[in-house]
Amino acid sequence: MAVQSVQPSEGPELVQLLTPEGERVEHPDYSIDLTEDEYRELYRDLVLVRRIDTEATALQRQGELGLWASLLGQEAAQVGAGRALTGGDFAFPTYREHGVAYCKGVDPVTLLGLFRGVNQGGWNPHDKGFQLYTIVIGSQTLHATGYAMGLQRDGADGAVMAFFGDGASSQGDVNEAFVWSSVFQAPVVFFCQNNQWAISEPLERQSRIPLYERAKGFGFPGVRVDGNDVLAVLAVSRAALERAREGSGPTLVEAYTYRMGPHTTSDDPTRYRLAAELETWKLKDPIERMKAYLSRTGMADHDYFAEVDTAADELAAHIRAGCLALDDPDPITLFDNVYAGGSTLLDEEREQLAAYLGSFEGAH
Amino acid sequence: MAVQSVQPSEGPELVQLLTPEGERVEHPDYSIDLTEDEYRELYRDLVLVRRIDTEATALQRQGELGLWASLLGQEAAQVGAGRALTGGDFAFPTYREHGVAYCKGVDPVTLLGLFRGVNQGGWNPHDKGFQLYTIVIGSQTLHATGYAMGLQRDGADGAVMAFFGDGASSQGDVNEAFVWSSVFQAPVVFFCQNNQWAISEPLERQSRIPLYERAKGFGFPGVRVDGNDVLAVLAVSRAALERAREGSGPTLVEAYTYRMGPHTTSDDPTRYRLAAELETWKLKDPIERMKAYLSRTGMADHDYFAEVDTAADELAAHIRAGCLALDDPDPITLFDNVYAGGSTLLDEEREQLAAYLGSFEGAH
Amino acid sequence: MAGSTLTLGKALNEGLRKALEDDPKVLIMGEDVGRLGGVFRVTDGLQKDFGEDRVIDTPLAESGIVGTAVGLAIRGFRPVCEIQFDGFVFPAFDQIVSQVAKMHYRSAGNVKLPITIRIPFGGGIGAVEHHSESPESYFCHTPGLKVVSCSNPVDAYWMIQQAIASDDPIVFFEPKRRYWDKAEVDPSAGAPRSLWDAEVVRAGSEVTLLTYGPSVKVCLEAAAAAETEGRDIEVVDLRSLSPIDWKTVIASVRKTQHAIVVSEAPVYASLASEIAARISEKCFYELESPVLRVCGFSTPYPTSRIEEDYLPDLDRILDAVDRSLAF
Amino acid sequence: MAGSTLTLGKALNEGLRKALEDDPKVLIMGEDVGRLGGVFRVTDGLQKDFGEDRVIDTPLAESGIVGTAVGLAIRGFRPVCEIQFDGFVFPAFDQIVSQVAKMHYRSAGNVKLPITIRIPFGGGIGAVEHHSESPESYFCHTPGLKVVSCSNPVDAYWMIQQAIASDDPIVFFEPKRRYWDKAEVDPSAGAPRSLWDAEVVRAGSEVTLLTYGPSVKVCLEAAAAAETEGRDIEVVDLRSLSPIDWKTVIASVRKTQHAIVVSEAPVYASLASEIAARISEKCFYELESPVLRVCGFSTPYPTSRIEEDYLPDLDRILDAVDRSLAF
Ligand SMILES: Cc1ncc(C[n+]2csc(CCOP(=O)(O)OP(=O)(O)O)c2C)c(N)n1
Ligand SMILES: Cc1ncc(C[n+]2csc(CCOP(=O)(O)OP(=O)(O)O)c2C)c(N)n1
Ligand SMILES: [Mg+2]
Ligand SMILES: [Mg+2]
């Protein structure tokens, strides 16, 4: 494939390998060379991940989910990062990493349990190398750092990726994670999706300077990548993970992207941001540019795109059916798994609730 | 006075105006030009501040104080910073800022209350522009930032100085203070005394890179100054405070110094650090170099030094007498000032204790 | 100005507006409190009218919110901090417990911290983890703090103003699932009672329900339901959780001789424990049955699809009433 | 191996050493725990013998200590975190309450966090602010945590090992003013009892003192003093604070019919409240007098020169015994 030498469309510090128009560009430090199949697969990932999101949003509107946190617009950031992760790696997500979950092999249906309110995450983190969603902003960056310290102590080969948002960069925990990972040279990549907003607050409420520069203050490299360019994100993430695995310590990756939807389905972004901003970012859509690239280079044609759409439809149907099959838990299970070793206090309370619930039986 | 052009004895990033040998040197960005009186006064400050420290240490050894946190070796850092503060400025100390307290006009005797255990700080922060000692590491940096935001809102002219140590740089709160002050361009100077140790932990446990560089990650300037050079500290602090007052936001000043004593009188530094290190730093003594400078330039002679020593003796006598006069509080005062507006719960408890204590009266 | 029908959320909004108008030193600070007006719209319109310097959208850092509020208070301001949800107060816990609560004591009264920390609390809104908690006991156990909770629009309007006017730091718990409850609020009437007084919201003779915040409504409903069975239940809205208005509480229990504490918080080592312990001590001879507690279980707050089984509801309260009276 | 006389601090040190020897996954982490061996020397010599990778001097950040311990535990380690003093646990409170306590529940049992958080607690050592607190009630009120406290060298040696071996997160309170108390400890004897059992440390018939940690010794002294006046007092060392061994507690109170809870923590909304509430409920007919609480007052911990008046001491306990029996 011919790689054309076009200047990236954003500031020089932004790593970009694919322009919004779908043209390949070069970068002095980062490059990528995939097979045609791999390029096509990335496109497929992007489409399926978006479909997970639209289907879940629809399910929320129909009352099947209590809430949904949409990743619309952030597909490339998540697929690029998620596909950079290998078997021995472990990811620590926020509540929006549906695309990373998908890459890590988490069945999208199990993602819905939390948002439906039937569980707090239906997958086993140890099986997937993907921790449960963390809602308290920033906490997981310390967990990721600790896990990475564990990898070091085990002499294991893997690395860790900690996900967080632009808003999270202000939390003490996140900055402590920067201190610790640097001091211990822990094999962790801090992957910040700067989607420009923390609910209603624009980036200026968190920082006066680009977020990737935060790393400088802690003694490790920071890099800003076009978060809507899946190739660039993949390249940058792979390099950062490789650096971590080699024992060179942490890297901060700032994936510069945009939250195209509301913060969650409970949010009304028209109260705080202008439609024009959205329009600008629509032109940088992560899927469109990959599609243009595949078309332009002849790596994929209409049939392939149609096939992907069919797969997306099937996935959506699977999600919908799976969601509706997610039954409410038995009330008495609310006592389960508070402790690994049980507790006499809970035994007593469980008995009380069981007796109380039992008192209604036959009453109706 | 002739200012000789001698290279500073430390790395190029270290701002120094007076070498350990007492020679004046120039710096491209910072300079100072004081009257002879002012130079002499600084020397006097250093000597008196050290005497406060030695007297308090002695009082602790004699059982008159429960604890003392010595500032030995950090006199120049504190006097330089303290003398840079002007009337409208407010300082937020740790537990070791006896020298700053002295500069802010706090009677050293009132400093002892906390260490004797009769109160938690005997001065009124509002009167002195000097907040009470803060023991929980790092908390005061946020208070300082908030106070600075208050100055902004009042349209007041002052600035704030937040003191903390090298160890504190790892705390979430300190890094949040960096975020906030930068976002709001608050008029605050973060004054970090890097005395190389956080109890038994050397700087490497907190950072891989020089601490003054932390500021870069938050978008404001950081500068490292020779913390044993009172002239350089004064110059750098004045510049940073001026910058804050002008509305240009925070500065991080790292005063590079050394904790010559134990962490506190409870500590035994021989367990974790080498005597050789101490010897090296002795050669950089902040008082000796100022004395050499004054002698060399003829600004002061033996008589002046003797007069200062006499003043120090008097101060020591004042401290000792004052300390011994600090009486134990009446037990019943333990209920005082929990609330500004009182509390029925405390009223009840106070009555109970009073009755209980009363029951012993006459019993003996 | 005549009264108008307000939701509890709007009553808080009006109370905050009044406080901002009355005292230029009052500030509002928190995540999304400005342009958005808060995720529950409690601060809606306030930034527009009072400016960005007084209604401050802060960085996303709770310790920073409370820690800078301390500094602002030392400078003479009266900050009102919003914590977005109950489960997000813990990053600020150190600043609250070791600084906010202790500064007045530490300074022998020289430094006052008139800070109000608003926390929407409690469950029942079908939310995800950390959005339905009842952490009030942590704050009640902390000397130096005062803790209050409103249960209705009238109290919301007045109590928030009283809290802001207090020279002590106050943790102000707002029953989030009652934000949309409505009542007539008359600003011209004046505050109906002190911030520290409990209120007998329903008089009765047989058993006393002691409660606060979101559970007041549930208790009133339980009392109404019990009435149809001929039971006469008294309901006390504690309003102030620390300190508690023991006089009102003890008087009620002395009268009914049966007491039940109702709260959503996990029961173990909680404010409900304190109430039960103190009543048991003070009304030792008057009590005809043990003080019962209908509270959250000793588990983390569960997923929303079973939260109704976790929360004290009408049936669990009535069951306790039966047990209390049948003892 | 025969027994030897150890201080409580040294017994903990030996217990930690045993845990490190027995399981390569056990780690120790905290401020100054390595080279210095901890400010109380509880980890003395461990870094030298087990290396810097297993006995880790951490950055000065408590949230970081606990937060990274969570990650290490997910990776399969068993971290033992030291919080240097009671008053410095609060920066880690969010990680403890929202992560450590909830991870097992959140993950439906898939993720275990066998983390031990050691906290030297309590007053009486003449220290400055934040160095004498008793924050155990905060943790007892937090579902998902277990909370224990040792009171003597034998328990210190065994309980720390049992805590580390537990698959649940445990907050382990060490009575700092008892670090220098001595007793015979025999490692070959085997743990005398389960971590969750209370112990009747002195049998008696007239009144039960329920206590833990540093106050156990005070209660035993009070009981001894009372004996000279012909009073027969039972002392129960709770050992496990959450959950409590109610069987032992209730059995004792049913026997003596008088109960007094002794704890240094501020009394309001505390663990002592829970104990009083539950005993009042469970022993309603057996109790001959109200459950009394001899605890810290509802003030911040005072300056050291008056801490003796704040702390429950022998006289205040005996006064309560008198009041209980005279009721
Ligand atoms: C400690 C904490 N405070 C507040 C919240 C409420 N909250 C949820 S998401 C969010 C904004 C997060 O912004 P960002 O980090 O940029 O991530 P994004 O949602 O944009 O992906 C806030 C304030 C929370 N979850 N945790
Ligand atoms: C939150 C907190 N954790 C732990 C401590 C115990 N402690 C007191 S001083 C200190 C070291 C501080 O080091 P540094 O910040 O470098 O200041 P220095 O003492 O050297 O002046 C520690 C760990 C504390 N006071 N606060
Ligand atoms: Mg964001
Ligand atoms: Mg230091």
Side-chain angles (χ1 to χ4, degrees), chain A residues 56-69 111-118 264-267 323 326, chain C residues 125-128 304-305 307:
Chain A
T57 299
L59 284 163
Q60 195 281 335
R61 291 225 184 88
Q62 292 152 18
E64 296 296 340
L65 300 179
L67 185 81
W68 181 248
L111 287 180
L112 303 185
L114 185 158
F115 294 98
R116 190 170 166 88
V118 302
T264 65
T265 45
S266 304
D267 181 39
C323 177
L326 286 171
Chain C
I125 63 160
V128 296
S304 61
R305 293 295 185 116
E307 67 180 331

Side-chain angles (χ1 to χ4, degrees), chain D residues 23 26 47 147 173 178-179 185 194 215 239 270 282 322:
Chain D
D23 184 347
V26 172
Q47 186 180 70
V147 185
F173 282 98
R178 306 291 175 222
Y179 273 142
V185 179
S194 152
S215 301
R239 301 173 79 257
S270 66
K282 303 283 183 201
D322 288 344

Side-chain angles (χ1 to χ4, degrees), chain C residues 93 102 106 129 133 137-138 140-143 241 244 266-269 273-274 280 284-285 293 298-299 327, chain D residues 90 93 102 106 129 133 138 140-143 241 244 266-269 273-274 280 284-285 293 298-299 327:
Chain C
F93 202 70
K102 291 182 169 163
R106 183 183 302 153
E129 204 184 356
E133 305 193 1
S137 300
Y138 296 118
C140 291
H141 182 58
T142 306
L241 311 184
I244 276 180
V267 67
Y268 196 80
S273 316
E274 177 64 34
S280 301
F284 189 72
Y285 284 127
R293 290 176 282 167
S298 302
T299 74
F327 191 82
Chain D
F90 301 116
F93 202 69
K102 291 183 169 165
R106 184 182 302 153
E129 203 184 357
E133 306 193 2
Y138 296 117
C140 291
H141 181 58
T142 305
L241 312 184
I244 277 179
V267 67
Y268 196 79
S273 317
E274 178 64 35
S280 300
F284 189 73
Y285 283 127
R293 290 176 282 167
S298 301
T299 75
F327 191 82

Side-chain angles (χ1 to χ4, degrees), chain B residues 116-117 119-120 136 167 170-171 198-201 205-206 271-272 328-329 331 334-335 345-346 349 356, chain D residues 31-32 35-36 41 44 57-62 84 129-130 268 297-299 303-306 309 315-316:
Chain B
R116 188 168 167 90
N119 61 39
Q120 318 214 57
V136 179
S170 295
Q171 281 283 8
I199 310 188
S200 74
E201 298 196 4
R205 292 288 89 184
Q206 319 295 342
R271 290 179 67 99
Y272 54 81
D328 288 358
L334 73 83
F335 297 101
L345 179 66
L346 284 183
E349 292 186 4
Y356 169 76
Chain D
E31 297 155 10
D32 307 294
R35 187 91 70 93
L36 181 64
R41 311 288 183 266
D44 193 24
D57 271 326
T58 67
L60 207 176
E62 286 77 9
Q84 199 162 78
E129 203 184 357
H130 313 290
Y268 196 79
F297 296 109
S298 301
T299 75
T303 54
S304 61
R305 292 296 183 117
I306 48 174
D309 295 284
D315 285 331
R316 266 173 73 204

Side-chain angles (χ1 to χ4, degrees), chain B residues 149-229:
Chain B
M149 291 170 65
L151 287 174
Q152 283 179 316
R153 278 160 182 72
D154 285 341
D157 189 39
V160 177
M161 205 174 242
F163 291 86
F164 62 105
D166 44 299
S169 68
S170 295
Q171 281 283 8
D173 272 11
V174 174
N175 292 282
E176 290 189 11
F178 293 165
V179 168
W180 285 64
S181 60
S182 169
V183 162
F184 293 106
Q185 290 287 81
V188 56
V189 175
F190 295 106
F191 192 91
C192 176
Q193 286 168 79
N194 174 2
N195 63 7
Q196 313 300 327
W197 292 92
I199 310 188
S200 74
E201 298 196 4
L203 185 64
E204 303 90 81
R205 292 288 89 184
Q206 319 295 342
S207 183
R208 293 182 88 80
I209 59 168
L211 283 178
Y212 75 94
E213 294 187 21
R214 177 72 56 85
K216 266 194 230 166
F218 294 86
F220 57 89
V223 49
R224 173 180 277 189
V225 61
D226 183 338
N228 288 14
D229 170 357

Side-chain angles (χ1 to χ4, degrees), chain A residues 95-96 135 137 165-168 195 197-198 263, chain C residues 31 62 84 88:
Chain A
Y95 40 82
R96 208 187 286 289
I135 292 176
I137 298 293
D166 44 299
N195 63 8
W197 293 92
H263 171 68
Chain C
E31 296 154 10
E62 286 76 10
Q84 197 161 79
F88 306 137

Side-chain angles (χ1 to χ4, degrees), chain B residues 39 44 56 62 117 133 203 239 255 260 265 284 286 291 297 335 339:
Chain B
Y39 283 115
R44 187 187 166 89
Q62 293 152 18
Y133 280 177
L203 185 64
M260 297 297 288
T265 44
K284 304 183 192 174
K291 189 170 189 179
T297 55
F335 297 101
Y339 298 100

